[in-house]
Amino acid sequence: MKRTRTVSRNFEIAMGLIGSVIGIFSGSFLIFLESVGTVHTPFLGLVAIIASILGLAATYYVRKNPEVAGVGFVIATMFVIVGSEYINVISAIFLLIAGMSALFRK
């Protein structure tokens, strides 16, 4: 009887959730900054929030299809980096870790 080994995807789920939540909060912060001062960043905040929602969707699909979820994490990372210069780097790092581990972990 051959044993089939299943890989737990809890690490990818945790990294994806942490990165997405941080991205949503920092995107909201960028939108708030636009309403307070002369900084014009509401579009960048919206891009960061949409990318974080893509990260949440990839978190949902990590157990069903890890390769597609890994690509989703990497795409979300690129949009998070484009969406905000410095404030969202931590979110991008978490999403990139989740994407690389979903793609290359067997």
Side-chain angles (χ1 to χ4, degrees), residues 75-99:
I75 291 171
T77 301
M78 290 187 294
F79 279 116
V80 163
I81 290 173
V82 167
S84 60
E85 296 174 6
Y86 302 111
I87 194 169
N88 231 356
V89 172
I90 294 175
S91 172
I93 290 172
F94 279 119
L95 288 172
L96 186 64
I97 290 171

Side-chain angles (χ1 to χ4, degrees), residues 7 11 17 24 33 56 58 66 72-73 105:
V7 176
F11 178 73
L17 281 175
I24 289 173
L33 279 180
L56 285 175
F73 281 132
R105 193 169 149 204

Side-chain angles (χ1 to χ4, degrees), residues 10-71:
N10 291 334
F11 178 73
E12 290 91 346
I13 290 172
M15 293 291 114
L17 281 175
I18 292 170
S20 296
V21 168
I22 291 173
I24 289 173
F25 282 132
S26 62
S28 301
F29 182 69
L30 285 173
I31 292 174
F32 173 73
L33 279 180
E34 191 272 333
S35 66
V36 171
T38 60
V39 180
H40 300 289
T41 57
F43 177 72
L44 297 178
L46 286 176
V47 168
I49 289 173
I50 291 170
S52 297
I53 291 171
L54 176 64
L56 285 175
T59 301
Y60 176 74
Y61 284 109
V62 127
R63 291 192 186 194
K64 295 178 183 175
N65 196 347
E67 288 82 18
V68 172
V71 170

